[in-house]
Amino acid sequence: MIAKVALSTPRSAEAVFDAWTNEAAIRLWMPLALQAMGLSGQLTTIRTHPVPGGDFLFADSRAEGEARHFGRYMEIDRARRLSFTWYTDEGDVESTSLVCLDLKTTHVTPGESVTWLSLEHMMDAEWKDYVEQTELGWRRLLEASCVDTSALRV
């Protein structure tokens, strides 16, 4: 099963890529995505080691307890591609859950560019009933990662 999301943003590919790999940036935009999904947006842990084979952990507080999203970076090609495994439960790490985020910049006019984002989340067939929900979650995350968070910095 593959969940797919595509969108465009005026933000540079570098800025969006860095938003996904820089802990300080994640702390700024991820609460926006969580709030867009009706959650509190209260982050408990953000940890990244953005090198191939490095791990990450994104955790937030929810009514039923802490929600943990974790995995390993598989491919890192700054401003072009970010590929990583994605899990929410230790018991699922043997199943297929691979996310590929591709970024491509198109120059529209001199001085104006658009970055196209294409995300595919490959998952085991057992998750077929969750593809639409997964796509909505990834859309919220992508949209928030494209927000210019400079005004949010403290």
Side-chain angles (χ1 to χ4, degrees):
M1 303 276 57
I2 301 177
K4 297 179 182 182
V5 177
L7 59 88
S8 64
T9 178
R11 303 270 294 157
S12 72
E14 292 81 5
V16 175
F17 187 92
D18 292 348
W20 277 90
T21 57
N22 179 285
E23 290 178 12
I26 295 165
R27 289 183 187 284
L28 293 173
W29 66 260
M30 190 165 280
L32 303 174
L34 295 169
Q35 291 164 358
M37 292 182 242
L39 301 168
S40 74
Q42 181 182 354
L43 301 176
T44 55
T45 306
I46 298 294
R47 186 181 69 234
T48 64
H49 186 60
V51 298
D55 65 336
F56 67 87
L57 170 64
F58 305 147
D60 64 281
S61 182
R62 301 190 184 179
E64 59 276 7
E66 185 179 63
R68 297 166 45 90
H69 299 83
F70 59 94
R72 292 211 172 274
Y73 295 103
M74 305 305 285
E75 182 179 355
I76 298 180
D77 185 358
R78 186 170 183 264
R80 289 183 189 84
R81 176 171 255 229
L82 183 62
S83 176
F84 50 91
T85 59
W86 181 264
Y87 300 104
T88 58
D89 187 292
E90 292 288 342
D92 292 336
V93 296
E94 297 302 318
S95 64
T96 299
S97 184
L98 180 66
V99 178
C100 297
L101 172 60
D102 291 303
L103 304 95
K104 181 176 176 19
T105 300
T106 302
H107 299 285
V108 180
T109 62
E112 183 183 3
S113 298
V114 173
T115 300
W116 298 94
L117 309 174
S118 174
L119 182 140
E120 291 189 352
H121 183 170
M122 288 144 282
M123 339 177 241
D124 279 346
E126 69 185 279
W127 300 105
K128 70 180 187 316
D129 295 337
Y130 296 92
V131 170
E132 189 175 317
Q133 177 182 335
T134 300
E135 289 174 341
L136 180 59
W138 283 117
R139 177 168 297 281
R140 296 290 181 258
L141 289 166
L142 285 177
E143 289 169 345
S145 71
C146 292
V147 169
D148 180 356
T149 57
S150 59
L152 302 176
R153 296 182 197 278
V154 178

